Every structure is written in C-alpha cells, then in structure tokens.
Amino acid sequence: TKRYLLCIISCEKYRYRKQLIKKYWLNNLINNNDNIDYLFIYGNDNLSNDYELFEDELHLKCDDGYIKLNKKVCCLWQYLLKRHSKKYDFYIKCDDDNYINRYKFTGLLTNTIHIDYFGIYNNNKVAEGLCRNMMVDKWQGPFYEGCIYWFSYDVLSHYCKNITDKHLKNNSLEDKLFSDIVRAKFPIKLYDGNIRFSGYPYYNNYAQIGYCND
C-alpha cells in the first residue's frame, strides 16, 4: 500500500476554511483511508525557526501571500525532503478551496499509482511576462494545474535538487514552475480517465453548505 501526505495550502486570511474543510470532506477522507495523512500549510515570516509544527498545521518561515506562493510551496517541498524522506510514497498539493469527493479521489489515486507525477492537465499557453502582477517565464508546454496535483518521492527529490532562486524569481506561477522543473524527467501527459473528483467554491455544492462566505 502506498502512503500519501496531503498538503492543504492555506493562509491566515482564510483560516476559517480549515474547520469547514475538515467537516465537509477531509475527516471523511482521512477516517476512511489509513494510508493518507494530512497537514495544513501556512506561511509566517516572523517565525524564529524555519518551520514549526502545531498538531495538524505546518508553519513555514516565508511570506503567506498569494503573490509569493511559489516560494512558499518551494519551502514546503524542501522541508518534506529533509524531514519526511522516504516516509511517504506520494505527496499531494491541494488548495484550500477544493471540495474533494472521497470515493472518486481514492479511486483515482489507485488508478494512477503507477504514475510519478499527476494532475489536471492544462495546455492553455500562458504568455511570458506579467500575469496578475506575477512574473511568468517562457512557455515550455502543458503543465498540471495548481489546484491539486500529486507526485512521488523521486519527483520531490528531483524538484528540490534542481530548483534555483533564479527559477523562483522568473516564474511566480507555482504550478507552471513545478512542471517546468521536472518535465524533462517526468513528462506532463494527458490522462484519458475520469478525473472529476473535486469542485470549487462557486460550485453548487459549496453554496449549499455555506462554504463560500468571504
């Protein structure tokens, strides 16, 4: 059985989402899957240490804002490589505005267990330059969208060994950046199976449970 660490990327601004996530889908997912652990991820520039663990929260010494999300996620992967080396087979990056269907999601994890790097395929070309006040480097091909993607320990190791400050400066889009760093060794491919396992706050399921309240 493969072990997964689900990393839910959040921030202090949206801290209220944590209890809603746990109530409406996370507890159900975790309680029915012994092979999935989770952490909520926050940034805090004022930490005394590079990271601090508080129960189910990991606080990283970095900016907590969206504009510098690429650096926050990079700090997370570097932390996991140092502290969770070989403990998990796969790492899942998940935004805090997802609503995950347990049955469909766990089924997809099983169906893609042979794939080192997997996500929602995006082939919409992003123009080089500024995008929403964030830097974007040249187009290198399709990437997996940042809302949720997962990858093996080998991918984690490859990313951490190859990411540089120059990469982070030239590409603020964390999902495109991740794909660009690893694509030569772990190609981004179109998956022909069913990946309808999650929703977003503006979908009906969120409105019905009162999740969309900001």
Side-chain angles (χ1 to χ4, degrees):
T1 302
K2 301 295 184 181
R3 292 199 57 79
Y4 297 81
L5 178 62
L6 172 63
C7 301
I8 302 172
I9 311 298
S10 192
C11 61
E12 289 298 327
K13 179 180 178 180
Y14 295 129
R15 173 166 283 280
Y16 70 86
R17 291 179 175 176
K18 178 181 175 181
Q19 294 307 317
L20 295 170
I21 289 170
K22 294 179 74 171
K23 178 179 179 180
Y24 288 109
W25 65 263
L26 181 59
N27 287 346
N28 186 29
L29 176 69
I30 299 300
N31 292 340
N32 288 278
N33 291 277
D34 294 335
N35 62 328
I36 300 178
D37 295 330
Y38 75 94
L39 284 172
F40 282 87
I41 313 300
Y42 299 90
N44 184 347
D45 270 331
N46 297 317
L47 288 182
S48 300
N49 303 310
D50 289 339
Y51 68 91
E52 292 184 12
L53 276 170
F54 301 100
E55 298 180 347
D56 61 354
E57 297 180 3
L58 171 62
H59 294 254
L60 300 164
K61 189 171 185 177
C62 64
D63 191 283
D64 200 35
Y66 179 72
I67 296 297
K68 294 185 178 180
L69 179 61
N70 61 339
K71 295 184 179 180
K72 180 178 177 179
V73 174
C74 181
C75 286
L76 170 62
W77 303 146
Q78 291 174 335
Y79 161 81
L80 292 178
L81 185 66
K82 294 176 182 177
R83 301 291 171 175
H84 292 267
S85 178
K86 300 293 186 179
K87 183 176 181 180
Y88 296 99
D89 300 291
F90 287 89
Y91 299 87
I92 305 168
K93 186 266 180 180
C94 176
D95 286 347
D96 67 355
D97 56 359
N98 279 322
Y99 183 100
I100 291 178
N101 180 295
R102 172 172 67 91
Y103 297 103
K104 294 179 179 180
F105 183 58
T106 53
L108 185 58
L109 291 180
T110 299
N111 292 339
T112 59
I113 203 168
H114 60 289
I115 302 175
D116 280 290
Y117 176 34
F118 185 86
I120 299 173
Y121 183 89
N122 188 335
N123 196 26
N124 295 319
K125 186 174 182 178
V126 181
E128 183 177 355
L130 281 176
C131 176
R132 301 191 300 275
N133 293 320
M134 296 186 293
M135 286 299 300
V136 181
D137 64 359
K138 65 180 181 180
W139 177 254
Q140 297 185 38
F143 61 95
Y144 292 136
E145 292 186 2
C147 54
I148 187 166
Y149 56 84
W150 54 93
F151 49 88
S152 68
Y153 170 83
D154 289 340
V155 178
L156 172 70
S157 178
H158 182 78
Y159 171 89
C160 291
K161 290 176 181 177
N162 288 277
I163 189 71
T164 66
D165 288 338
K166 184 178 180 180
H167 289 131
L168 292 167
K169 180 180 179 181
N170 293 341
N171 194 349
S172 299
L173 304 183
E174 63 85 16
D175 47 4
K176 179 181 183 299
L177 174 61
F178 194 97
S179 288
D180 287 349
I181 293 297
V182 306
R183 68 171 65 248
K185 188 172 182 179
F186 303 96
I188 287 72
K189 298 179 180 179
L190 182 61
Y191 180 71
D192 59 3
N194 186 351
I195 60 172
R196 296 180 181 273
F197 61 89
S198 68
Y200 298 90
Y202 49 81
Y203 286 3
N204 287 335
N205 53 2
Y206 271 69
Q208 288 165 4
I209 64 175
Y211 191 81
C212 186
N213 64 353
D214 59 335

